[in-house]
Amino acid sequence: MFEQFTGNSRVKAVLKRMLTNNRLPGAMLFTGEEGVGKKLFALEVARALNCRTPKDGEACGVCSACTRIMKLNYPQREDAEEWTQIIWTDHPDVGLVVAPKRVLRVEQMRQIEKEANFRPFEGKARVFLIDEADKLNDASANALLKVLEEPPKTSHLILITARPAMLLPTILSRCQMIRFSPLTPDEIESHLLKNKVVDAKTARLRARAAGGSMGRALSGDLVTFTSQRKAMLKVLNALAISDDRADLLRSSEQLNEAQYREEFEERLDVLETLIRDAWMLSLGVESAQLVNEDLSTELREISKKIDSSRAADWILHIEDLREQLIVNVNRKVTTDALFMVMAGDVPAPKRPKIR
Ligand SMILES: [Zn+2]
């Protein structure tokens, strides 16, 4: 039952149509920001395929198959070695893999290949989720390609990522992409209220500060996110309004400070949502549609100074930087260069694509 999930009505309609027509692709890629429900939707697809009493192509949500699919048996310990196996649900046909450390491994893809070749043990289809698919390296991506090239009819692979640009084109071309949108503050607020997570005042605040992510709104840990957003808004201000190079270089320095090392990619994600919001405003979209609606005053000022082509270029440059980070480059130097390219001081370097 996709209705139980908040937002993304277009995705619901698309998946429902595929399921009712028995046209679910063997390989799909669920993309969209962190915390918008990609994994939940993927598990719901697995349920719809294996439910014992499905209705109109959707899962009943209460039969034994449906209940067991929602129970993922994550390893108890942090030890990376325990995370290199398929993590099965309580249903023998549904499992997922995650990156044990920073990289999804070849052996994980080989396991999926082997398991995908079995016929379903209990239900109608075997379903494998590959979480954080952006963490495939060349070797594991190539191992995965083998499965994607001729997937058995009764097996489905669902790749999940917030950063599709990091995937090899050969992988992208073999998966049907399903794009999830960030949730609107109103959608998040009504979810928090309906489920009595917090009181009305807190719900309103959290919904507006969550940047489109239900995960963030639910966890309530908005402190980190708020400071990330503040720092990235400063970058955008320096780029669009003050044109202050010193400010940009200081921001680059901060972004590369040791304490923020783990947050580097998250901060780039935040910068991208801010750019997209300002871009939307420049196209005349209502501020209620923004991911960062609570910053609409600041974003509106920025939107007056940019146009679509500049915003689109900025996003391309950021994606470009992410690609460069896969190989060993000096992160600080690259970030400096990124900001200067975005400021329009230097043309974007013409370099061959890494892949
Ligand atoms: Zn069911």
Side-chain angles (χ1 to χ4, degrees), residues 102-174:
R102 298 193 68 86
V103 179
L104 280 161
R105 299 193 190 168
V106 175
E107 66 228 59
Q108 290 177 297
M109 299 308 124
R110 293 209 177 119
Q111 270 185 58
I112 289 186
E113 185 189 11
K114 183 176 140 227
E115 292 290 344
N117 278 313
F118 289 127
R119 292 195 49 79
F121 287 122
E122 180 192 316
K124 289 189 283 290
R126 308 209 88 196
V127 184
F128 301 96
L129 277 53
I130 301 176
D131 203 5
E132 309 174 292
D134 48 283
K135 295 192 171 153
L136 288 161
N137 61 9
D138 281 359
S140 52
N142 282 321
L144 174 63
L145 270 179
K146 281 196 185 166
V147 202
L148 294 178
E149 267 156 18
E150 26 183 341
K153 277 204 171 50
T154 50
S155 289
H156 295 269
L157 263 54
I158 305 180
L159 283 67
I160 300 172
T161 181
R163 301 173 184 122
M166 303 288 289
L167 295 180
L168 284 172
T170 41
I171 299 260
L172 287 173
S173 67
R174 283 176 175 81

Side-chain angles (χ1 to χ4, degrees), residues 1 6 10 23 38 67-68 77 80 85 91 94 144 148 184 202 208 223 257 266 276 313 342:
M1 299 177 301
T6 303
R10 199 188 45 83
R23 280 278 170 80
K38 299 184 294 295
T67 356
R68 280 179 291 133
R77 299 193 299 135
Q85 305 289 317
H91 191 289
V94 182
L144 174 63
L148 294 178
T184 65
T202 319
R208 262 132 202 98
V223 180
E257 275 169 20
E266 279 171 36
R276 287 211 168 84
D313 273 352
M342 287 171 86

Side-chain angles (χ1 to χ4, degrees), residues 237-297:
N237 257 315
L239 284 168
I241 298 176
S242 69
D243 217 15
D244 187 333
R245 302 294 187 272
D247 231 14
L248 278 177
L249 291 176
R250 266 196 301 277
S251 294
S252 166
E253 202 160 300
Q254 193 200 27
L255 196 56
N256 286 286
E257 275 169 20
Q259 54 173 321
Y260 300 130
R261 209 175 160 76
E262 295 297 316
E263 290 179 30
F264 188 84
E265 295 236 351
E266 279 171 36
R267 287 181 175 237
L268 290 183
D269 290 343
V270 172
L271 180 58
E272 284 193 32
T273 66
L274 291 170
I275 294 173
R276 287 211 168 84
D277 277 353
W279 185 357
M280 291 295 138
L281 284 172
S282 76
L283 297 171
V285 168
E286 298 270 328
S287 60
Q289 301 295 313
L290 303 183
V291 173
N292 303 285
E293 189 206 356
D294 55 323
L295 298 180
S296 59
T297 318

Side-chain angles (χ1 to χ4, degrees), residues 31-52:
T31 70
E33 243 219 284
E34 303 291 352
V36 293
K38 299 184 294 295
K39 204 192 294 172
L40 273 179
F41 271 77
L43 287 169
E44 192 61 26
V45 167
R47 279 170 124 189
L49 291 167
N50 288 301
C51 175
R52 293 176 175 182

